[in-house]
């Protein structure tokens, strides 16, 4: 049942009416001291309505660049973005001017970033920053925007929203600022929310509150969520399906439980073994030897082979292996996958 | 600053422990409150408010809690990087608080610190040889040749080739830099390393390599660690004992397995339940306790038990009376009224109370 379908097909649900975001063969190059370097190399995926798609990988794997490129937020002068398809519902993002892209961000795609401190403008009140979005995209009057903004603050769990509306970001705690970011993202009922490490800077008890809030809001609005994180615990908590990125490529994609219980790429097996578990007595902590390759210095063959315990002659030469479909929902970029039995977590 | 005499070690019920390598009693670190025009000067903010613990030779004590709970300030107070207002810090029985600068410098040789950010803790303009050699100059005054040999040996010890001593910090990755700061910390043969979020900025596989190195070092040269971190999974892995802090105080401590498997303080229980487990099946069937609100402002500490504003099991007593430490089942102590009144757990795990007794506390 294993078949190779070049170029890498987008894993995920096949019913097209369901797809909110479709990405095919996304390539992102950035300008470095040594010229143009490819940091995202042929990424394809789709996200269904109401689905939470996780993207995991170590720092530098290209997960954030993938999402920033989709949202058109990479700096234009130092970045080249190409894709066969980049579509949100029926909007073709590849054909849009920056101005038209401004109309997409907000009502179609919204983003939540890691650092709620730097994502809010310190010189404007929190309320103005939410109302601005509503006035810009929905053409609401000042008064109507104010009312909606207060209702949004209330919805995301900011206590005494009328008073908080008039306050500045510095008067908010980290968790409260992240709630404000969510209110801004949610203001125009986007079809896709991209959340880039939204809880990484927060304490665990606050992280639990924010994850709970995102879950509730998704149930209410039925939007798609792309959740970028390096924390496999958070992934296990919120995601329906996961893409694993390594050195600018997707190396594995699968539904959440399958991915954790039966990983099919040695990198994912390594990540799972490396996670210390709080619910289990201390055992040996595995680590993946070495470091991810540097941009512009990708190894031949499989990009993971210098760190892979299973690598043999086939893995070390030639181009990078293709992403292989193992079934309707599971894919891997490992050449040796038919002969390997990898360990997952129970 | 008068050193407290040893008999007064009963801060958390523990008898003074002569065998402890480091003994901290009733430590208070305070900062001046923020002054506002036309108002009376506010009382000082007590970021660490009566912390006591022992650190025994060869063990690792994990200090956990959320940001602002005072765990880093505790470490800085112990090192006297911030001068504590009250309390006692004894290293092998010798009081450090009030020690004149010269003697303090000599004593500090035994307690070294590693910080979170390996990018800002190495001087970018110094060769690695100079950075790692600096503590040797301060404490050992070795000759040139001896010093170079010693630096090479230290690099080997942390898993890096000795040739690296002729490089600059910018040539290294985050994980390698953290190895370098560890090499520098162990340069003058300290007894204790204070690790303040030392692995928090690293990716998981690099993090594990550094944890492996720390475990190796403690086995090879008998180091003792005070390991401060907010990542509870890492703390469980590395610690022999754990102390949990909330708003400047230790609310519970004990053997790592006991604290993680049978938490006796409601805050510990909530903290543990908030950490997502990397297994979809386990994580999605676990019971979660979502605490409402943020930790209170340390300048306006709640009356009674400091946790009462967020505690799912709060009783009337908790709002007025400060709980005293009592024995926890198995090991350690806990400061919570549930053990002496109400359900009277008497040291048993709060998990035995179950969800039925919890109430959602409004923010």
């Amino acid at each position: 049942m294993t078949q190779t379908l070049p170029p890498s097909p987008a894993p995920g649900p096949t019913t097209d009416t369901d797809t909110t975001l479709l990405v095919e063969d996304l390539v992102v190059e950035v300008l470095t001291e040594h010229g143009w370097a490819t940091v995202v190399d042929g990424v394809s995926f789709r996200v269904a309505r109401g689905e939470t798609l996780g993207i995991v990988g170590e720092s530098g794997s290209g997960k954030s660049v993938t999402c920033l490129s989709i949202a058109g937020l990479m700096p234009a002068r130092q970045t080249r973005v190409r894709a066969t398809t980049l579509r949100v519902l029926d909007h073709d993002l590849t054909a849009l001017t920056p101005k038209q892209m401004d109309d997409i961000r907000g009502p179609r795609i919204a983003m939540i970033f890691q650092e709620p401190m730097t994502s809010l403008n310190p010189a404007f009140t929190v309320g103005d920053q939410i109302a601005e979005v509503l006035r810009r995209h929905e053409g609401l009057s000042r008064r109507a925007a104010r009312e909606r903004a207060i209702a949004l603050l209330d919805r995301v769990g900011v206590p005494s929203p009328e008073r908080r509306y008039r306050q500045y970001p510095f008067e908010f705690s980290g968790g409260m600022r992240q709630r404000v970011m969510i209110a801004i993202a949610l203001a125009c009922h986007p079809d896709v929310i991209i959340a880039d490490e939204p809880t990484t800077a927060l304490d665990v008890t606050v992280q639990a509150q924010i994850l709970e809030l995102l879950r509730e809001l998704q149930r209410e609005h039925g939007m798609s969520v792309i959740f970028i994180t390096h924390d496999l615990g958070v992934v296990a908590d919120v995601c329906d399906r996961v893409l694993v990125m390594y050195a600018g490529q997707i190396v594995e994609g699968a539904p959440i439980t399958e991915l954790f219980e039966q990983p099919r790429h040695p990198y994912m097996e390594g990540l799972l073994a490396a996670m210390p578990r709080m619910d289990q007595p201390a055992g040996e902590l595995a680590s993946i030897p070495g470091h991810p390759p540097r941009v512009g210095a990708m190894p031949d063959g499989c990009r993971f082979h210098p760190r892979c315990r299973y690598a043999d002659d086939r893995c070390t030469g030639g181009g990078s292996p293709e992403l292989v479909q193992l079934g309707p929902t599971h894919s891997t970029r490992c050449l040796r996958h038919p002969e390997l039995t990898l360990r997952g977590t129970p | 600053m008068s050193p407290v005499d040893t008999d007064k070690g009963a801060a958390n019920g523990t008898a003074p422990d002569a065998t402890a390598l480091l003994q901290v009693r009733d430590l208070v670190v305070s900062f001046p409150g923020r002054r506002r025009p036309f108002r009376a000067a506010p009382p000082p903010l007590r970021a660490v408010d009566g912390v006591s613990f022992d650190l025994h030779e060869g063990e690792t004590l994990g200090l956990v809690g959320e940001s602002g709970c005072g765990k880093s300030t505790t470490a800085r107070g112990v090192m006297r990087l911030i001068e504590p207002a009250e309390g006692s810090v004894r290293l092998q029985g010798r009081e450090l608080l009030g020690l004149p600068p010269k003697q303090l410098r000599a004593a500090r040789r035994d307690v070294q610190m590693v910080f979170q950010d390996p990018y800002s803790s190495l001087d970018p303009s110094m060769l690695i040889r100079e950075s790692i050699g600096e503590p040797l100059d301060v404490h050992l005054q070795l000759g040139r040749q001896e010093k170079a040999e010693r630096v090479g040996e230290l690099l080997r010890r942390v898993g890096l080739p000795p040739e690296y001593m002729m490089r600059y910090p910018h040539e290294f990755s985050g994980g390698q830099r953290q190895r370098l700061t560890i090499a520098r910390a162990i340069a003058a043969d300290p007894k204790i390393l204070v690790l303040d979020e030392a692995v928090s900025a690293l990716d998981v596989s690099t993090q594990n390599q550094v944890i492996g190195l720390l475990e190796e070092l403690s086995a090879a040269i008998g180091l003792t660690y005070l390991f401060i971190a907010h990542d509870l999974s890492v703390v469980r892995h590395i610690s022999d004992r754990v102390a949990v802090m909330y708003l400047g105080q230790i609310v519970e401590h004990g053997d790592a397995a006991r604290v993680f498997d049978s938490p006796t303080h409601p805050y510990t229980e909530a903290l543990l339940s908030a950490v997502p487990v990397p297994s979809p099946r386990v994580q999605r069937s676990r019971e979660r306790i979502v605490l409402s609100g943020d930790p209170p402002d340390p300048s306006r500490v709640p009356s009674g038990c400091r946790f009462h504003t967020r505690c799912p099991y709060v009783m009337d007593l908790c709002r007025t009376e400060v709980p005293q430490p009592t024995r926890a089942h198995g090991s350690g102590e806990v400061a919570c009224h549930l053990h002496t009144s109400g359900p009277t757990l008497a040291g048993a795990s709060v998990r035995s109370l179950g969800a039925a007794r919890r109430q959602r506390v409004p923010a």
Side-chain angles (χ1 to χ4, degrees):
Chain A
M1 65 177 229
T2 304
Q3 56 191 36
T4 316
L5 296 173
S8 22
T14 40
T15 43
D16 210 31
T17 51
D18 231 21
T19 304
T20 50
L21 176 69
L22 178 64
V23 178
E24 280 178 329
D25 207 15
L26 176 73
V27 177
V28 184
E29 293 168 290
V30 295
L31 194 55
T32 68
E33 297 166 45
H34 314 291
W36 290 97
T38 309
V39 291
V40 173
D41 196 358
V43 163
S44 305
F45 63 90
R46 63 177 83 212
V47 191
R49 184 167 296 287
E51 181 185 42
T52 301
L53 176 73
I55 302 184
V56 301
E58 289 172 281
S59 20
S61 59
K63 52 194 196 302
S64 290
V65 174
T66 298
C67 291
L68 288 171
S69 304
I70 293 168
L73 289 175
M74 288 295 283
R77 280 157 190 272
Q78 293 105 25
T79 321
R80 290 200 294 227
V81 180
R82 280 184 283 123
T84 320
T85 315
L86 207 54
R87 220 174 59 207
V88 176
L89 297 178
D90 46 2
H91 302 272
D92 180 4
L93 303 189
T94 55
L96 297 183
T97 63
K99 200 154 189 133
Q100 290 169 316
M101 197 61 210
D102 285 345
D103 293 330
I104 295 290
R105 269 191 309 264
R108 298 282 163 252
I109 299 188
M111 293 207 55
I112 304 168
F113 296 99
Q114 170 173 357
E115 249 319 318
M117 192 55 174
T118 49
S119 319
L120 290 168
N121 189 332
F124 291 90
T125 64
V126 157
D128 281 345
Q129 296 183 58
I130 305 174
E132 180 196 2
V133 183
L134 293 162
R135 284 168 58 79
R136 162 73 174 75
H137 288 291
E138 309 212 337
L140 295 187
S141 71
R142 206 171 282 277
R143 172 178 300 210
R146 181 175 184 276
E147 264 164 37
R148 272 274 294 283
I150 290 173
L152 277 164
L153 280 176
D154 190 38
R155 177 62 200 92
V156 296
V158 174
S160 30
E162 283 94 354
R163 188 170 58 84
R164 293 299 230 166
Y165 181 91
R166 294 189 303 271
Q167 290 186 336
Y168 290 89
F170 79 88
E171 297 173 88
F172 285 65
S173 67
M176 282 298 153
R177 271 186 224 126
Q178 201 56 294
R179 287 175 194 268
V180 172
M181 285 303 298
I182 293 172
I184 293 175
L186 209 68
C188 303
H189 304 291
D191 299 289
V192 180
I193 285 194
I194 299 174
D196 188 356
E197 305 267 9
T199 59
T200 306
L202 306 175
D203 279 316
V204 283
T205 60
V206 180
Q207 166 172 287
Q209 295 168 2
I210 297 292
L211 293 180
E212 192 59 45
L213 174 66
L214 282 171
R215 226 190 316 262
E216 274 172 34
L217 293 171
Q218 189 179 24
R219 259 199 304 270
E220 272 170 41
H221 298 273
M223 65 224 174
S224 309
V225 177
I226 300 180
F227 206 105
I228 304 174
T229 178
H230 66 278
D231 186 335
L232 291 181
V234 172
V235 169
D237 194 37
V238 299
C239 297
D240 302 315
R241 201 158 55 85
V242 183
L243 304 174
V244 185
M245 285 192 74
Y246 185 78
Q249 298 177 321
I250 294 176
V251 295
E252 183 164 5
I256 181 75
T257 315
E258 210 175 307
L259 181 74
F260 277 72
E261 295 181 358
Q262 297 151 345
R264 301 298 301 270
H265 195 285
Y267 178 58
M268 185 63 200
E269 181 191 49
L271 283 182
L272 286 170
M275 286 297 289
R277 287 278 293 261
M278 186 213 58
D279 58 334
Q280 283 168 6
E284 192 70 358
L285 264 193
S287 55
I288 306 172
H291 305 281
R294 277 201 318 268
V295 164
M298 290 300 163
D300 284 339
C302 172
R303 291 181 179 179
F304 185 59
H305 88 255
R307 306 175 72 191
C308 182
R309 52 196 284 225
Y310 304 106
D312 65 15
D313 303 345
R314 284 167 290 172
C315 309
T316 56
S320 162
E322 294 291 339
L323 192 64
V324 177
Q325 283 295 130
L326 304 167
T329 54
H330 205 149
S331 56
T332 177
R333 204 182 278 279
C334 178
L335 283 175
R336 295 200 56 198
H337 72 86
E339 50 204 282
L340 296 180
T341 312
L342 302 178
R343 275 186 58 170
T345 56
Chain B
M1 197 167 319
S2 64
V4 184
D5 65 2
T6 345
D7 305 17
K8 215 216 139 205
N12 51 13
T14 32
D17 191 341
T19 63
L21 185 56
L22 182 78
Q23 197 180 64
V24 177
R25 288 291 173 272
D26 302 320
L27 190 73
V28 175
V29 182
S30 60
F31 299 103
R34 193 156 65 111
R35 289 203 69 138
R36 301 176 122 174
F38 312 114
R39 307 259 173 95
L45 181 157
R46 290 158 80 96
V48 175
D49 199 1
V51 162
S52 304
F53 61 87
D54 290 328
L55 194 55
H56 299 275
E57 191 160 353
E59 79 168 350
T60 298
L61 174 68
L63 197 54
V64 302
E66 293 177 283
S67 34
C69 71
K71 53 192 193 300
S72 291
T73 310
T74 300
R76 284 170 171 73
V78 168
M79 299 283 296
R80 279 183 67 189
L81 296 176
I82 305 171
E83 202 61 58
E86 293 167 34
S88 149
V89 176
R90 283 170 183 264
L91 180 67
Q92 292 180 301
R94 182 185 188 205
E95 180 60 52
L96 296 186
L97 302 193
L99 215 56
K102 207 162 191 168
Q103 291 168 39
L104 176 66
R105 179 175 264 211
R108 268 196 189 141
R109 183 180 159 185
D110 289 330
V111 192
Q112 293 289 320
M113 199 154 176
V114 177
F115 297 94
Q116 170 169 6
D117 185 6
Y119 289 84
S120 60
S121 36
L122 288 167
D123 186 331
S125 67
M126 275 164 97
L127 284 171
I128 295 308
R129 186 192 61 188
E130 297 166 322
S131 279
I132 296 183
E134 215 172 19
L136 298 173
D137 293 336
V138 173
H139 295 294
L140 298 178
Q141 290 92 31
L142 299 177
R144 218 184 133 79
Q145 183 58 33
E146 261 179 312
K147 195 173 120 184
E149 273 170 29
R150 178 89 178 121
V151 171
E153 194 185 304
L154 285 163
L155 285 172
R156 251 195 306 269
R157 180 125 254 176
V158 298
L160 296 172
E163 304 86 81
Y164 281 11
M165 72 171 85
M166 297 312 285
R167 296 193 181 182
Y168 287 98
H170 74 88
E171 300 174 64
F172 297 96
S173 69
Q176 287 173 323
R177 284 180 209 221
Q178 208 53 309
R179 287 175 189 269
L180 292 169
T181 60
I182 291 170
R184 181 179 57 189
I186 61 172
D189 282 323
K191 298 191 170 65
I192 300 172
L193 279 197
V194 177
L195 302 148
D196 188 1
E197 302 278 7
V199 298
S200 306
L202 307 175
D203 267 320
V204 60
S205 66
T206 320
Q207 170 181 297
N208 291 356
Q209 293 167 11
V210 175
I211 292 172
L213 170 66
L214 291 172
E215 287 172 340
E216 248 172 69
L217 288 175
S218 95
I221 53 181
L223 275 173
T224 303
Y225 297 129
L226 179 59
F227 190 89
I228 299 168
H230 68 277
D231 185 331
L232 291 148
S233 310
V234 169
V235 169
R236 164 143 212 190
H237 183 84
I238 199 169
S239 306
D240 302 304
R241 286 192 307 125
V242 173
V244 183
M245 284 189 75
Y246 187 77
L247 268 185
Q249 296 183 332
I250 291 176
V251 296
E252 164 164 18
H253 70 91
D255 292 341
R258 201 282 292 154
V259 172
F260 279 86
D261 295 334
S262 324
T264 52
H265 197 284
Y267 178 61
T268 314
E269 184 193 28
L271 200 59
L272 294 177
S273 97
V275 180
V277 173
S279 155
R281 222 177 274 276
V282 175
Q283 175 60 18
R284 287 166 198 220
S285 58
R286 273 170 93 207
E287 200 203 351
R288 271 166 260 212
I289 305 162
V290 178
L291 288 181
S292 52
D294 296 316
D297 183 348
S299 66
R300 272 171 293 179
V301 170
S303 61
C305 170
R306 294 175 176 214
F307 185 56
H308 88 250
T309 53
R310 300 171 82 200
C311 182
Y313 307 104
V314 63
M315 305 178 290
D316 287 339
L317 174 71
C318 307
R319 297 179 226 274
T320 52
E321 296 291 317
V322 176
Q324 296 305 314
T326 53
R327 284 245 149 267
H329 260 318
S331 72
E333 291 172 311
V334 54
C336 173
H337 288 305
L338 291 171
H339 294 275
T340 46
S341 48
T344 323
L345 291 170
S349 170
V350 257
R351 285 189 181 146
S352 61
L353 291 176
R357 288 195 73 111
R358 279 199 292 271
Q359 40 200 305
R360 182 116 184 171
V361 192

